[in-house]
Amino acid sequence: MKHRKPGEFRECPLPSTVRDSVLDHAAAAGTNADGYLIRSQRSLHWGHSTMQYQWWLARKKAGITRKLNPYSLRHYFASNCLSKGVPITDVAEWLGHTNINMTFKVYRHLMPASVGRAARLLNEGL
């Protein structure tokens, strides 16, 4: 992973179809000595241009004409988690943010209104 020391990792939830696809690929292709699963013939891992090309091919195959990039999936994931009430601390960890303030600044507007929920809890308790 980008900006990580050897051996560092983070867990992130995946839909079962994605998890199964990754595990199938790992079983079929294996990893290199450095642990990379997705690599090219010339490099230990995909470079930016390879990723862009593979993304372009996948969009074309799927018939997607909107201008989306891989980072769009990251925002889609975070936005959906937060709008459904997943704790921001978990989302920040999954996104790899070392400081929760980054997650808060970008995604605060998507979090359910905590002031209203707190007021309801106080009313229920009285």
Side-chain angles (χ1 to χ4, degrees):
M1 286 188 306
K2 184 168 95 172
H3 307 301
R4 300 290 186 273
K5 295 175 187 164
E8 284 187 328
F9 71 96
R10 66 177 180 255
E11 293 187 72
C12 187
L14 293 173
S16 59
T17 53
V18 174
R19 181 183 179 280
D20 292 346
S21 293
V22 170
L23 292 175
D24 288 348
H25 179 74
T31 61
N32 65 13
D34 295 318
Y36 288 104
L37 177 63
I38 301 174
R39 57 200 182 274
S40 69
Q41 292 176 350
R42 295 179 292 174
S43 176
L44 295 176
H45 54 82
W46 280 6
H48 184 266
S49 59
T50 303
M51 180 66 188
Q52 289 297 102
Y53 178 70
Q54 293 297 329
W55 180 257
W56 177 80
L57 283 178
R59 280 183 42 222
K60 184 177 178 182
K61 184 177 178 180
I64 298 172
T65 56
R66 289 182 58 199
K67 189 173 182 177
L68 298 173
N69 59 44
Y71 215 71
S72 303
L73 298 176
R74 178 182 171 89
H75 287 298
Y76 176 82
F77 170 76
S79 299
N80 276 282
C81 286
L82 292 169
S83 67
K84 303 289 190 245
V86 174
I88 192 170
T89 51
D90 292 345
V91 176
E93 182 181 335
W94 299 333
L95 293 176
H97 292 163
T98 55
N99 185 334
I100 195 171
N101 289 330
M102 171 62 75
T103 315
F104 187 79
K105 283 188 332 188
V106 175
Y107 298 104
R108 171 66 178 109
H109 67 285
L110 297 170
M111 297 169 60
S114 56
V115 172
R117 285 186 298 167
R120 278 194 302 279
L121 289 172
L122 290 172
N123 284 334
E124 290 171 7
L126 295 176

